[in-house]
Amino acid sequence: MMDVARFALGWCGIVSLVPSLHFASGDISYSFPEEMRRGSVIGNIAKDLGLEANRLSPRKARIDTDGSDKRYCDINLQNGDLTVSDKIDREGLCGDKASCVLKQELMLENPLELHRISLHVQDINDNSPQFNKELIHIDISESAAKGARFPIEEAHDADIGKYSVQTYNLQSNENFILGVGTNSVELVLNKELDRENLQEISLLLTAVDGGSPQRSGTVVIHITVLDANDNVPVFSQAIYKASVPENSPLGTVVVTVTATDADEGVNGDVTYEFGHVSEDVKSMFNIDRKTGDIKVTTSVDFETTSSFELRVTAKDGLGLTSYAKVIIDVTDINDNPPIIYLKSLSNPIPEDASPGTEVGIINVQDRDSDNNRQVRCSIQQNVPFKLVPSIKNYYSLVTTGQLDRELVSDYNITISATDEGSPPLSSSKTVQLSVSDINDNPPVFEDQSYSAYVSENNKPGSTLCSVTARDPDWRQNGTVIYSLLPGEVNGAPVSSYLSVNGDTGVIHAVRSFDYEQFRSFKVQVMARDNGSPPLSSNVTVSVFISDVNDNSPQILYPAPEGNSFMTELVPKAAHGGSLVSKVIAVDADSGQNAWLSYHIVKSTDAGLFTIGVHSGEIRTQRDISESDSMKQNLIVSVKDNGQPSLSATCSMYLLISDNLAEVPELKDISYDDKNSKLTSYLIIALVSVSTFFLTFIIIILGVRFCRRRKPRLLFDGAVAIPSAYLPPNYADVDGTGTLRSTYNYDAYLTTGSRTSDFKFVSSYNDNTLPADQTLRKSPSDFAEVFGDCSGSPEVGIHFDLLNSFLACFFYSVHGAEFHSFLNRHCTCSFLSTFFRSHFSLCLFLFVFIQHFLN
């Protein structure tokens, strides 16, 4: 029956909506009972505000609240009905307040409209009266006079008005009747007590509210009859009022209650405690049982509860009790910074948006009161946006200038809000906005030109360099593709030399390069974006080919041994440091790869000659002595400065002599160690043959005696090679590594094979013949050189005939091979003279030994 009554009462509240509807400056109010079901219709707000129901959805109509307040109603966008969205409990929202009003807002966009909605929640009888305790103990002295009053804490009903506690009913008895006091219900002694007849009394007290049907609550009063204690504690005030600032430190004394008892001893000792208060209040405040100090135990928040009403009891030692009320008001301090809410935002923004375009809607709220909730809102500088005040605490965020995504693609707009409290509090919120792109920028290379360096003989496909172009546009408008522009390098297409990666811009070599053919070339690279239409730009890439050490030094002088056999003449009077000759070499490489150094790697006399490391000049290290060998062979190595180093070698043949008369018959100075074994066999054989040959000569001498014999020339003729045999770049400048004019050398070679014997060497100085004249010698001069021999002409004739016969036979078969052997192995003066004097026999012996070894 009670639920049915409540349902009927709810419908009565709904019916009462129509007369409570009113408009005031764009505001609208509705009254309705609490505890309505979700979805229940409060009223048609579209009709009441004169709005078109079909425009609610396009204008994004919605119910909004202040800050973090809960939203209790919603709007039906189809018909404009205002409905209940969550359960509404008036007692939980407003407590004991006579009026319970909820503030809601109706917000519409395009254009922005704001309507305040006041929801008056009406109370229904949904709470029963309740006593603070289920059992009340009262000690009454038997000396209490008739008519004595004993206060009892009244019952509490969460409902208000007529639905609160209206009447009290006391169980019928002969000793007590019910009386009504200022702040409590009182038991009035109707008949004096006699402890000897009645020591304890239990009575049932019922509290009844004014609802229909009525609700009630009961408590059992247990009375103990005591001996005389006839005075109850009396508070100094019936109602105590105090105030406390919110966020006060824990332990702060809010108010002190005091009560006095006229009795003495234990009957006059008063203790204090809270009466009927909620658990939340008990957790915030504490009362000292002895002093009556009420202290703060937890932080008090004005925005949560602005006032508290406490019940305090004072009890003496024998249980007599009195009651007082304490009202505590919480004062507001500026402890809540403004809160910024982003209600609407258009993102991204096209970069061609015109100034004044609305981007978003901002709402600023502060939970404090009075001046503490007055807020000023501003925006940071140096951004093309501003805030335009709108309705109440709403602002529109609009553009103030032209946007350029390539300059700024994203904006972090910081909005600041400051209240007018003391001290003021502020907060900020960052709004992120992006700017959408259009293709208005061509690719731009990071450098105006690029240089690539590659060593010659590189592998095809090797990386030369990388070009990079940036396009500030976005996505396909900023995607860059690289390509080579058509062109030619040394008459060939540029694509046959280089290739470029279209995505990365990395340039590769298609072929291997040769520094000696060409050293650099240029190409054009194009960067194009994928926009519509596409934009592009070009850049020049210069390719420089660096040298590697791939060419050995080339010796120009002296000429290689395969071409001719040349010998330089060194005067015996040459002093230490005298210039003897010079090695001239060139290198096809460049730079340090062409820096040449000269070194003597082998010489007949290691301490006699030295060579300039960088000039190639061959000089004497000391004065030439008589003990020095007349024939000197130098093997010179020419190295470049590359890594690794390459080299070439040449042989320099030097003859120490002052005039031609001292010149013996020359042989090739070089010596091959690998044929030393053959030479040993040859010497042994020659000793045997010589014994036989000397015996033959003695027999011939016995037949005929010869006084002299004519000298025989050992050469057919001589060819003069002028000193001008030098490379074109071999300048005759003193001190630069060339031969000085005081030492000019002519070399004379036979007209035979490449190993022809050296015959005549002459030194030209200031006392000799001019360089352009031919040296001539008489037969007698050669006789002085080779010596004289006593004997008969006939002996010579027979000797010559034998030599001629054997020579013609063997020389026709093995002459060239034997001649080469002599040049290689006959370095000893004695052996050389003997071999050439006994040419025929030696040739025969050479053929014999050669066949024997084979």
Side-chain angles (χ1 to χ4, degrees):
M1 292 296 293
M2 184 177 294
D3 292 338
V4 175
R6 291 180 60 189
F7 180 77
L9 182 59
W11 276 105
C12 290
I14 295 176
V15 174
S16 66
L17 291 177
V18 176
S20 64
L21 181 64
H22 66 278
F23 298 88
S25 301
D27 294 351
I28 187 171
S29 299
Y30 292 94
S31 295
F32 59 98
E34 64 176 332
E35 303 291 342
M36 292 182 67
R37 294 192 182 122
R38 290 184 179 88
S40 300
V41 177
I42 298 174
N44 191 295
I45 194 170
K47 179 179 178 182
D48 298 334
L49 291 177
L51 302 174
E52 297 179 7
N54 57 357
R55 292 287 297 162
L56 294 177
S57 179
R59 296 187 63 184
K60 300 180 181 179
R62 58 186 179 271
I63 300 300
D64 208 346
T65 61
D66 289 341
S68 60
D69 292 347
K70 190 174 183 180
R71 183 164 55 87
Y72 291 97
C73 61
D74 205 345
I75 185 172
N76 189 324
L77 298 179
Q78 303 297 325
N79 52 27
D81 286 341
L82 185 66
T83 60
V84 176
S85 61
D86 200 358
K87 178 182 178 181
I88 301 175
D89 182 11
R90 193 204 67 81
E91 287 75 24
L93 295 175
C94 302
D96 295 335
K97 294 181 181 179
S99 176
C100 184
V101 180
L102 300 179
K103 298 294 185 180
Q104 308 279 287
E105 294 176 346
L106 173 65
M107 180 178 175
L108 300 98
E109 296 183 10
N110 301 319
L112 178 63
E113 288 185 38
L114 187 67
H115 298 277
R116 289 184 291 272
I117 304 172
S118 296
L119 302 178
H120 296 268
V121 182
Q122 303 298 326
D123 187 27
I124 63 174
N125 191 24
D126 58 340
N127 292 282
S128 300
Q130 290 182 350
F131 288 91
N132 187 38
K133 299 178 180 179
E134 296 180 357
L135 180 64
I136 298 175
H137 293 277
I138 300 177
D139 295 332
I140 302 176
S141 175
E142 63 178 350
S143 60
K146 182 180 179 180
R149 294 178 175 267
F150 304 95
I152 298 174
E153 185 180 5
E154 63 184 359
H156 175 74
D157 194 331
D159 297 325
I160 61 173
K162 66 178 182 179
Y163 299 127
S164 64
V165 177
Q166 300 295 321
T167 59
Y168 290 90
N169 297 321
L170 182 62
Q171 181 181 350
S172 178
N173 66 93
E174 61 179 0
N175 295 105
F176 296 93
I177 62 174
L178 193 62
V180 178
T182 305
N183 295 316
S184 63
V185 179
E186 295 178 336
L187 285 179
V188 180
L189 186 59
N190 189 39
K191 180 183 178 180
E192 295 180 354
L193 298 175
D194 186 1
R195 182 178 175 275
E196 287 67 23
N197 293 328
L198 185 62
Q199 296 181 355
E200 294 181 351
I201 301 173
S202 293
L203 301 176
L204 182 63
L205 178 64
T206 302
V208 182
D209 63 16
S212 178
Q214 292 181 331
R215 288 177 175 266
S216 62
T218 60
V219 65
V220 175
I221 301 173
H222 183 79
I223 300 171
T224 302
V225 181
L226 302 175
D227 287 338
N229 179 24
D230 53 354
N231 291 288
V232 297
V234 178
F235 281 99
S236 60
Q237 300 178 43
I239 300 176
Y240 293 86
K241 292 185 178 180
S243 63
V244 59
E246 63 175 330
N247 301 325
S248 294
L250 304 184
T252 300
V253 178
V254 180
V255 66
T256 301
V257 295
T258 58
T260 59
D261 194 314
D263 296 326
E264 292 181 357
V266 68
N267 294 329
D269 292 337
V270 179
T271 59
Y272 305 93
E273 61 182 15
F274 285 131
H276 180 80
V277 294
S278 65
E279 293 299 327
D280 293 338
V281 174
K282 286 183 179 180
S283 65
M284 293 183 182
F285 299 97
N286 183 30
I287 187 169
D288 192 298
R289 291 179 56 84
K290 295 295 185 181
T291 64
D293 292 337
I294 299 177
K295 300 178 181 179
V296 176
T297 57
T298 60
S299 179
V300 181
D301 187 8
F302 172 84
E303 286 71 39
T304 302
T305 305
S306 60
S307 65
F308 296 91
E309 185 175 312
L310 310 178
R311 298 297 180 94
V312 180
T313 64
K315 181 185 292 187
D316 61 18
L318 295 180
L320 295 181
T321 306
S322 61
Y323 300 90
K325 180 183 295 185
V326 179
I327 299 175
I328 301 175
D329 294 324
V330 181
T331 57
D332 182 39
I333 64 173
N334 191 29
D335 61 341
N336 289 283
I339 301 176
I340 302 173
Y341 295 96
L342 181 62
K343 297 296 183 179
S344 178
L345 182 66
S346 298
N347 194 18
I349 314 168
E351 61 179 327
D352 56 353
S354 59
T357 302
E358 184 178 77
V359 176
I361 298 174
I362 307 298
N363 177 239
V364 182
Q365 299 177 11
D366 194 312
R367 296 185 63 196
D368 294 321
S369 62
D370 300 330
N371 289 337
N372 294 334
R373 69 176 303 166
Q374 301 301 318
V375 179
R376 298 186 306 272
C377 193
S378 62
I379 196 172
Q380 68 176 13
Q381 301 299 321
N382 301 324
V383 292
F385 300 94
K386 68 177 181 179
L387 287 177
V388 177
S390 184
I391 304 170
K392 198 180 177 182
N393 291 328
Y394 283 86
Y395 298 85
S396 295
L397 180 64
V398 298
T399 60
T400 59
Q402 190 66 41
L403 304 178
D404 188 351
R405 197 204 69 85
E406 285 70 44
L407 295 178
V408 182
S409 60
D410 296 282
Y411 288 95
N412 291 326
I413 305 171
T414 301
I415 301 172
S416 301
T418 305
D419 61 26
E420 296 184 358
S422 180
L425 299 178
S426 62
S427 63
S428 62
K429 185 178 184 64
T430 299
V431 178
Q432 296 182 347
L433 289 175
S434 299
V435 182
S436 58
D437 182 54
I438 61 174
N439 189 28
D440 56 348
N441 291 278
V444 177
F445 284 94
E446 292 184 349
D447 298 324
Q448 294 181 353
S449 62
Y450 291 84
S451 297
Y453 298 89
V454 59
S455 300
E456 64 173 328
N457 304 324
N458 60 292
K459 293 183 179 180
S462 59
T463 300
L464 302 186
C465 70
S466 176
V467 298
T468 304
R470 306 294 183 186
D471 194 320
D473 292 325
W474 194 44
R475 290 188 177 176
Q476 66 178 13
N477 294 333
T479 302
V480 180
I481 299 175
Y482 303 92
S483 61
L484 289 174
L485 291 179
E488 292 186 354
V489 176
N490 289 346
V494 67
S495 59
S496 64
Y497 289 89
L498 302 176
S499 66
V500 62
N501 189 304
D503 297 327
T504 63
V506 177
I507 298 177
H508 301 276
V510 176
R511 64 167 64 176
S512 178
F513 301 123
D514 188 358
Y515 176 83
E516 285 71 36
Q517 291 183 359
F518 59 94
R519 301 185 177 183
S520 65
F521 59 92
K522 294 182 179 181
V523 296
Q524 292 283 329
V525 178
M526 180 181 69
R528 175 180 57 84
D529 61 27
N530 269 339
S532 180
L535 302 177
S536 63
S537 60
N538 302 333
V539 72
T540 300
V541 178
S542 300
V543 181
F544 298 94
I545 303 170
S546 59
D547 182 44
V548 298
N549 193 27
D550 59 345
N551 291 279
S552 300
Q554 180 181 0
I555 298 176
L556 302 179
Y557 183 84
E561 293 186 17
N563 297 330
S564 63
F565 174 66
M566 302 184 64
T567 302
E568 300 278 0
L569 186 65
V570 181
K572 289 183 178 180
H575 297 289
S578 299
L579 180 64
V580 174
S581 182
K582 181 176 181 178
V583 176
I584 301 175
V586 295
D587 196 308
D589 295 320
S590 64
Q592 67 175 6
N593 295 330
W595 297 350
L596 302 180
S597 60
Y598 302 83
H599 308 275
I600 297 176
V601 297
K602 187 176 182 182
S603 64
T604 303
D605 190 343
L608 183 56
F609 297 100
T610 183
I611 188 169
V613 176
H614 300 295
S615 63
E617 295 177 349
I618 299 176
R619 296 178 181 270
T620 58
Q621 295 192 76
R622 57 178 174 81
D623 296 344
I624 296 177
S625 62
E626 293 296 334
S627 61
D628 292 329
S629 175
M630 182 178 296
K631 304 172 186 177
Q632 297 288 333
N633 179 18
L634 303 181
I635 298 178
V636 178
S637 172
V638 183
K639 296 182 179 180
D640 58 27
N641 200 36
Q643 292 295 333
S645 176
L646 301 178
S647 63
T649 58
C650 67
S651 297
M652 177 67 72
Y653 304 103
L654 304 177
L655 182 66
I656 301 175
S657 178
D658 286 333
N659 53 66
L660 187 61
E662 300 176 355
V663 180
E665 190 175 10
L666 300 178
K667 302 299 175 185
D668 191 345
I669 303 176
S670 62
Y671 180 74
D672 191 356
D673 292 336
K674 67 180 182 178
N675 294 319
S676 59
K677 184 176 180 180
L678 180 60
T679 302
S680 300
Y681 286 133
L682 182 60
I683 292 174
I684 295 173
L686 285 177
V687 172
S688 302
V689 175
S690 298
T691 303
F692 171 81
F693 187 72
L694 289 176
T695 304
F696 177 77
I697 291 178
I698 293 172
I699 297 174
I700 296 299
L701 290 176
V703 178
R704 194 164 297 184
F705 180 77
C706 178
R707 291 284 181 185
R708 67 175 184 177
R709 63 184 181 87
K710 296 180 180 180
R712 181 172 53 87
L713 297 178
L714 301 181
F715 62 94
D716 297 330
V719 179
I721 299 177
S723 61
Y725 176 79
L726 289 175
N729 59 348
Y730 190 80
D732 186 13
V733 180
D734 188 17
T736 60
T738 61
L739 297 180
R740 291 176 292 182
S741 60
T742 56
Y743 289 97
N744 294 322
Y745 300 89
D746 288 341
Y748 294 86
L749 294 83
T750 61
T751 58
S753 65
R754 289 183 292 179
T755 59
S756 299
D757 297 335
F758 178 87
K759 295 301 180 181
F760 301 105
V761 179
S762 63
S763 173
Y764 295 95
N765 50 41
D766 296 336
N767 299 323
T768 58
L769 292 175
D772 56 351
Q773 297 184 8
T774 304
L775 177 66
R776 300 182 182 277
K777 296 283 185 176
S778 64
S780 62
D781 295 332
F782 291 98
E784 294 175 2
V785 176
F786 296 100
D788 193 8
C789 178
S790 300
S792 172
E794 286 78 8
V795 176
I797 292 172
H798 288 284
F799 179 78
D800 290 341
L801 289 175
L802 179 61
N803 269 340
S804 300
F805 177 78
L806 294 176
C808 290
F809 177 78
F810 290 106
Y811 193 86
S812 62
V813 180
H814 298 284
E817 186 176 0
F818 177 70
H819 208 297
S820 176
F821 173 81
L822 293 181
N823 286 336
R824 290 196 306 272
H825 300 284
C826 295
T827 58
C828 175
S829 177
F830 168 77
L831 291 178
S832 177
T833 304
F834 181 85
F835 285 161
R836 298 184 189 279
S837 301
H838 302 81
F839 178 77
S840 301
L841 291 178
C842 290
L843 181 60
F844 168 78
L845 183 61
F846 171 78
V847 175
F848 174 79
I849 293 174
Q850 187 180 42
H851 284 284
F852 174 76
L853 293 178
N854 291 336

